[in-house]
């Protein structure tokens, strides 16, 4: 009787049910990663915390990030180096492929991580700038004041991702514990005979074989049991689709190998899906004449981000964009473990290159309440305001170019 009563008490006060741990929780122990609070996918940092904020927390493991290069390829190379530098700091393995610049030269130019003292100094500078902007806070529309702020300046509370100093290069001591692999197309063409695959040129075939060999031999294949400690493989491919890769999609509207690049991306995504790896590819989208090819390339990528530089354009001297160096266009966000993707932080983005940092911020239109705006510049602002995206405030086509 007492035993029955005790069992009833235990049944009311406790339960034998134990929640089964998710399969992805075991992967959270990998250095430099964290599970997403939105879809539970394992994430790694792109090396730029403000870009991680735009992408919903970071780059998901097993996915492909496609970066559309700016006109001169300067700013896209910075994002490419940020991705590789973050891998060095987190202890990830690297695979760097290029047909233009040798991977050794790319790794030597990686930015140095910021120390705690340097982060505090830059944080104080950012605080001083914010105090100056606070004086004009009443001149900014309420829409901008209520928007969530992006993490653009270094803070000591950041636990995911790191900040880097563009004025300094990474010390060689940081590369000693790192295992990295290189793929330089001119060297590969001289070492191996011609590799021809169906619907794919020789350069893409060689690159796929190299990636597949590293994933299988180095223990990154998720389908096979791994005996060693798990790690992440960061794959970086520079200027894919350019003429240096033997592809003519950038110089002809009707290329000979029209399906070569799309075939490569299709096979690459299959390799990424079953491995502990993530890939970042830069592509000269502004040189691809056939827009149908670019649409297929976008559909075969998981995340697509485009950079539009102001260098050499009318916006470079336009007072509307005086505080920025270009625009950021988020073309596509993956739908991971959900039917829809988060599109709340994708509009009105711009980037600026400071003395030591490259940041992505929200594009705020300057108010037409300042005495510094001349009458002649108002017409220029009215014309340039039409070029902004539909989500950038309320636009008026009449006499006033802004309607607050």
């Amino acid at each position: 009787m007492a035993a029955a009563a005790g069992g009833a008490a235990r049944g009311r006060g406790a339960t034998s049910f134990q929640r089964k741990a998710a399969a992805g929780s075991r992967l959270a122990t990998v250095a430099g990663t964290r599970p997403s609070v939105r879809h539970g996918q394992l994430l790694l940092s792109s090396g730029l915390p403000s870009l991680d904020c735009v992408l919903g927390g970071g780059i998901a493991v097993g996915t492909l990030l496609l970066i559309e290069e700016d006109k001169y390829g300067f700013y896209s190379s910075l994002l490419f180096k940020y991705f590789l530098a973050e891998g060095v700091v987190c202890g990830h393995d690297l695979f760097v492929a290029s047909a233009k610049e040798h991977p050794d030269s790319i790794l030597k130019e990686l930015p140095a991580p910021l120390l705690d003292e340097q982060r505090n100094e830059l944080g104080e500078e950012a605080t001083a700038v914010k105090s100056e902007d606070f004086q004009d806070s009443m001149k900014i529309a309420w829409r901008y004041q209520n928007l969530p702020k992006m993490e653009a300046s270094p803070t000591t509370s950041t636990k995911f991702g790191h900040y880097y100093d563009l004025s300094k290069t990474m010390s060689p001591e940081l590369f000693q514990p790192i295992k990295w692999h290189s793929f330089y197309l001119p060297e590969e063409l001289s070492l191996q005979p011609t590799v021809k695959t169906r619907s794919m040129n020789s350069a893409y075939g060689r690159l796929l074989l190299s990636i597949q060999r590293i994933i299988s031999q180095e223990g990154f294949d998720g389908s096979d049991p791994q005996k060693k400690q798990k790690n992440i493989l960061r794959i970086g491919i520079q200027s894919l689709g350019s003429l240096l890769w033997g592809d003519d999609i950038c110089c002809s509207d009707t290329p000979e190998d029209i399906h070569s690049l799309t075939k490569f991306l299709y096979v690459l995504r299959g390799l990424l899906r079953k491995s502990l790896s993530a890939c970042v590819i830069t592509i000269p989208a502004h040189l691809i004449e056939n827009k149908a090819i670019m649409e297929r390339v976008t559909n075969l990528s998981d995340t697509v981000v485009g950079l539009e530089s102001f260098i050499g354009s009318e916006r470079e001297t336009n007072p509307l964009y005086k505080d920025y160096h270009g625009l950021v266009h988020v073309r596509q966000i993956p739908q991971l473990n959900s039917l829809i993707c988060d599109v709340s932080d994708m509009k009105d983005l711009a980037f600026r290159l400071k003395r030591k940092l490259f940041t992505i911020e929200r594009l705020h239109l300057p108010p037409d309440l300042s005495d510094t705006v001349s009458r002649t510049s108002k017409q220029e602002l009215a014309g340039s305001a039409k070029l902004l995206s539909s989500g950038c405030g309320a636009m008026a086509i009449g006499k006033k170019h802004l309607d607050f």
Side-chain angles (χ1 to χ4, degrees):
M1 194 69 151
R10 288 193 300 269
R12 290 192 301 268
T15 177
S16 61
F17 174 78
Q18 294 182 358
R19 183 177 181 181
K20 184 179 180 180
S25 61
R26 295 190 300 268
L27 299 179
T29 57
V30 181
T33 62
R34 69 175 180 184
S36 173
V37 297
R38 299 180 180 179
H39 45 71
Q41 192 76 16
L42 195 64
L43 301 178
L44 54 86
S45 176
S46 63
L48 190 62
S50 55
L51 180 59
D52 294 339
C53 181
V54 173
L55 300 181
I59 303 175
V61 174
T63 60
L64 167 64
L65 169 60
L66 185 71
I67 300 177
E68 298 179 0
E69 298 179 358
D70 52 290
K71 187 175 181 180
Y72 297 98
F74 175 71
Y75 299 104
S76 59
S77 63
L78 293 181
L79 295 182
F80 187 75
K81 294 176 181 178
Y82 272 128
F83 176 74
L84 298 177
E86 182 69 19
V88 174
V89 175
C90 296
H92 297 164
D93 289 13
L94 303 180
F95 178 84
V96 186
S98 176
K100 177 178 63 175
E101 189 177 0
H102 199 282
D104 295 346
S105 302
I106 297 177
L107 295 177
K108 291 180 181 178
E109 297 176 356
L110 295 184
L114 284 176
L115 302 177
D116 294 338
E117 298 178 355
Q118 296 174 335
R119 294 176 63 177
N120 293 333
E121 292 178 358
L122 292 179
E124 294 176 357
E125 294 179 2
T127 304
V129 174
K130 291 181 181 179
S131 62
E132 295 178 359
D133 296 340
F134 180 76
Q135 299 176 0
D136 299 332
S137 60
M138 297 302 296
K139 300 180 181 180
I140 301 179
W142 61 270
R143 176 183 182 273
Y144 300 124
Q145 294 180 354
N146 295 332
L147 286 175
K149 297 181 180 181
M150 299 178 60
E151 187 179 5
S153 60
T155 57
T156 56
S157 60
T158 303
K159 298 181 180 180
F160 187 69
H162 301 81
Y163 291 92
Y164 299 90
D165 187 355
L166 294 176
S167 62
K168 300 179 182 179
T169 57
M170 189 173 294
S171 61
E173 289 77 10
L174 295 177
F175 287 95
Q176 293 180 359
I178 302 301
K179 190 173 184 179
W180 58 277
H181 313 270
S182 63
F183 181 93
Y184 187 49
L185 184 59
E187 292 181 354
E188 297 292 332
L189 293 176
S190 61
L191 294 177
Q192 299 179 2
T194 303
V195 177
K196 183 64 177 179
T197 58
R198 184 178 300 179
S199 302
M200 191 182 305
N201 64 10
S202 176
Y204 296 157
R206 297 170 189 271
L207 183 56
L208 276 178
L209 291 177
S210 299
I211 296 176
Q212 184 178 12
R213 183 179 66 254
I214 293 174
I215 290 177
S216 59
Q217 294 181 358
E218 300 297 331
F220 296 104
D221 193 349
S223 60
D224 296 335
Q226 301 180 10
K227 298 181 180 180
K228 65 176 185 178
Q229 185 179 1
K230 295 180 180 180
N231 198 5
I232 300 295
L233 175 65
R234 289 179 177 249
I235 304 173
I237 306 176
Q238 188 182 46
S239 297
L240 190 69
S242 63
L243 190 60
L244 296 176
W245 285 96
D247 205 339
D248 56 347
I249 61 174
C250 292
C251 58
S252 176
D253 191 16
T254 56
E256 296 180 0
D257 298 334
I258 191 173
H259 300 292
S260 186
L261 181 59
T262 55
K263 178 74 174 181
F264 170 81
L265 294 177
Y266 182 81
V267 179
L268 177 62
R269 286 185 67 184
L271 294 175
L272 295 175
R273 286 295 189 269
K274 64 175 185 178
S275 62
L276 289 175
S277 60
C279 182
V280 169
I281 297 178
T282 64
I283 183 172
H286 61 283
L287 298 179
I288 299 179
E289 300 179 2
N290 193 335
K291 300 305 178 183
I293 297 179
M294 194 58 209
E295 291 180 0
R296 290 194 291 267
V297 169
T298 301
N299 294 332
L300 288 173
S301 304
D302 297 302
T303 309
V304 181
V305 177
L307 298 181
E308 179 184 355
S309 175
F310 293 159
I311 300 178
S313 63
E314 297 179 355
R315 299 182 181 182
E316 186 177 7
T317 57
N318 195 322
L320 182 65
Y321 309 100
K322 62 180 181 179
D323 297 330
Y324 307 99
H325 295 92
L327 301 177
V328 179
H329 305 284
V330 182
R331 313 289 188 188
Q332 183 171 291
I333 293 291
Q335 302 175 4
L336 302 175
N337 301 333
S338 62
L339 298 178
I340 60 175
C341 60
D342 185 19
V343 295
S344 59
D345 298 329
M346 292 171 52
K347 297 180 180 179
D348 312 336
L349 299 177
F351 64 86
R352 68 171 69 184
L353 180 61
K354 300 180 181 179
R355 182 169 57 92
K356 295 182 179 181
L357 296 174
F358 177 87
T359 59
I360 296 178
E361 304 173 0
R362 292 193 176 275
L363 177 62
H364 299 297
L365 294 177
D368 191 18
L369 302 175
S370 176
D371 297 335
T372 58
V373 180
S374 61
R375 296 181 178 179
T376 57
S377 63
K378 291 182 179 181
Q379 297 179 355
E380 298 178 358
L381 292 175
S384 58
K386 300 178 183 179
L387 301 177
L388 293 176
S389 59
S390 59
C392 191
M395 302 297 177
I397 311 180
K399 296 181 181 180
K400 296 182 179 179
H401 62 278
L402 292 178
D403 186 12
F404 289 104

